[in-house]
Amino acid sequence: MNRRKFLAATGAALANAAIPHRGWTAPAAESHAADLRLRIEPCTLDIGRGVQINTVAYNGQVPGPLLRFKKGKPVTIDVTNASKNPDLVHWHGLTTETLNDGAVEEGSPLIAPGATLRYHLTPNPSGTRWYHTHAMAMGDLSLAAYTGQFGFLLVDGAPDPGRHDKEINLAIHHWGPHFVPMVETMRAESQNMPQTTGSDVGYDHATINAHMLGAGEPIRVKQGERVLFRLLNASATENAVLALPGHTFKVVAMDGNPVPTPYTVEVLSLAVAERVDVIVEMNSPGVWILGSTLKESRDIGLGVVVEYAGKSGEPVWRDPQPTEWDYTRFAATDAVAEPEETFTLTFRDAGTLNGSKFDTWTINGDAWPNVKPLMVKHGKRYRMLFRNASGDQHPIHLHRHSFEVTRIDDQHLSGLIKDTVNVMPLQTVAVDFLADNPGDALLHCHQQLHMDYGFMQIIKYTD
């Protein structure tokens, strides 16, 4: 489906959602109840003192219910759409087939308002995955990833994340989206790049697990505990950099996949849609702030209090030492297999087109739906060379597959398996993937604004 014509095609989408598809069943046609039920519905959140948010969420809560499955054990989930807009659920990081993946561009059906559809999943791979809406928003900032439609999906199975005493899942989100002048013009001037004139999105509030810093209950820990934190950036457009003063993070997994080289850092960086699993040794008693390294982000709520047993007082923040996030620290350096073929994909901002408030994003000069598909053969290994010719960061996500990060600019690496990789301004990143899951697979920037305005491409299997 042409994502730009989504709203005009709503009537057709509703009809499509009401028709049974291969791989789909309406609950009434089943002889047994689903394993789980999710309900897409409006809700009101009290995220901070005197701050209420009207949004759409799963089962009236943010994040949505924690889904925990066993690797390889089939599960059915009935999703009822009690909102006023057609929608669908994407099971991010799972190797499901196209109809159940939850992406219109792959052929997954929309769920009409008032309708219920059943997803059939066989959870794989193990690790920290998540689920979220894959609808579009365009210029309506009350839809899609700007809402509270997201939740953790954990798949249990080898390998495990290592010894720990407690698990804590933390999801970042931004609220109160609004249009702001595009800052890309200033970046363009400094980097001798074409200027742009569109709008960007800013936010009034930020939360971790639906509460602003200082609201809600603190994270309570005991001295000597080893805590496994699973962190998810579920923001529509905002990357995040986090620290916990007095503590360090041992990174053990990224996007749910164990890293070849577990490495301890003081600061974590999570682009939109990325997950990072870390072990924190609780060895610095006190009351602390786990939050954004940017004061302006903490001021709008991006943080949570960590309180040791027996300690009280005002939570403490200390700025960490300046550092750059570097994927290579967590990777190996072994040689990787040569790909069958290399696709070079150059990302650029084409500026505002056809009266749009927002800039159009292109891949090799074309914007979705005019981007040519990448054609692959089952069983072959391919390399995608992501060339970011813009001044923005781009978290690139590949559906239904994981990939190995094999080069960042001139640095070669191996063993770092992800499903979303953040490509920095003017950076080149190479990722390799095995074409082992036939059917259309969507490749896109996970920033909602970029995805809606052209930044998508389909990978097609030729056999």
Side-chain angles (χ1 to χ4, degrees), residues 42-113:
C43 71
T44 300
L45 303 176
D46 292 307
I47 65 171
R49 296 181 180 88
V51 181
Q52 281 193 334
I53 298 292
N54 295 315
T55 189
V56 176
Y58 298 119
N59 295 13
Q61 65 183 76
V62 175
L66 172 64
L67 304 184
R68 192 153 200 164
F69 304 137
K70 291 184 179 180
K71 180 180 177 180
K73 183 179 180 180
V75 62
T76 54
I77 305 173
D78 282 351
V79 179
T80 298
N81 185 1
S83 76
K84 64 181 181 180
N85 297 297
D87 218 313
L88 72 175
V89 182
H90 171 50
W91 314 97
H92 187 121
L94 297 188
T95 56
T96 188
E97 43 74 41
T98 55
L99 290 180
N100 286 281
D101 185 49
V104 169
E105 297 78 11
E106 296 174 353
S108 306
L110 286 158
I111 308 172

Side-chain angles (χ1 to χ4, degrees), residues 208 231 240-249 265-270 288-294 298 302-304 306 316-321 323:
I208 293 180
L231 297 118
V241 181
L242 305 176
L244 175 58
H247 302 77
T248 56
F249 307 99
V265 295
E266 188 179 6
V267 172
L268 295 173
S269 178
L270 289 95
W288 304 95
I289 294 174
L290 167 57
S292 173
T293 59
L294 298 176
R298 295 195 306 278
L302 188 46
V304 63
V306 176
V316 174
W317 173 262
R318 290 200 299 258
D319 288 330
Q321 291 296 315
T323 185

Side-chain angles (χ1 to χ4, degrees), residues 433-452:
F433 73 99
L434 183 64
D436 59 355
N437 196 9
D440 289 358
L442 185 63
L443 177 75
H444 65 92
C445 177
H446 216 285
Q447 290 202 33
Q448 183 80 47
L449 195 61
H450 297 174
M451 178 173 61
D452 284 346

Side-chain angles (χ1 to χ4, degrees), residues 144-196:
Y146 301 108
T147 71
Q149 294 178 75
F150 59 88
F152 281 91
L153 192 163
L154 307 181
V155 182
D156 291 327
D160 66 53
R163 183 180 66 81
H164 56 275
D165 304 302
K166 181 182 294 187
E167 298 181 6
I168 297 175
N169 303 323
L170 301 177
I172 296 163
H173 196 66
H174 290 76
W175 306 94
H178 54 271
F179 301 134
V180 296
M182 194 72 161
V183 298
E184 184 68 18
T185 300
M186 293 179 286
R187 294 198 197 109
E189 289 172 349
S190 66
Q191 297 170 355
N192 195 28
M193 298 165 61
Q195 292 189 5
T196 61

Side-chain angles (χ1 to χ4, degrees), residues 333-384:
T333 57
D334 301 328
V336 298
E338 285 301 309
E340 179 80 8
E341 186 177 351
T342 297
F343 302 110
T344 299
L345 307 176
T346 301
F347 314 137
R348 281 196 173 88
D349 180 351
T352 54
L353 300 176
N354 303 318
S356 169
K357 293 181 179 180
F358 300 107
D359 288 351
T360 295
W361 290 91
T362 63
I363 302 176
N364 291 348
D366 294 319
W368 180 268
N370 298 318
V371 183
K372 299 178 182 65
L374 303 180
M375 309 302 293
V376 300
K377 293 182 179 180
H378 187 213
K380 303 295 184 181
R381 181 181 175 92
Y382 293 88
R383 180 165 297 162
M384 293 184 290

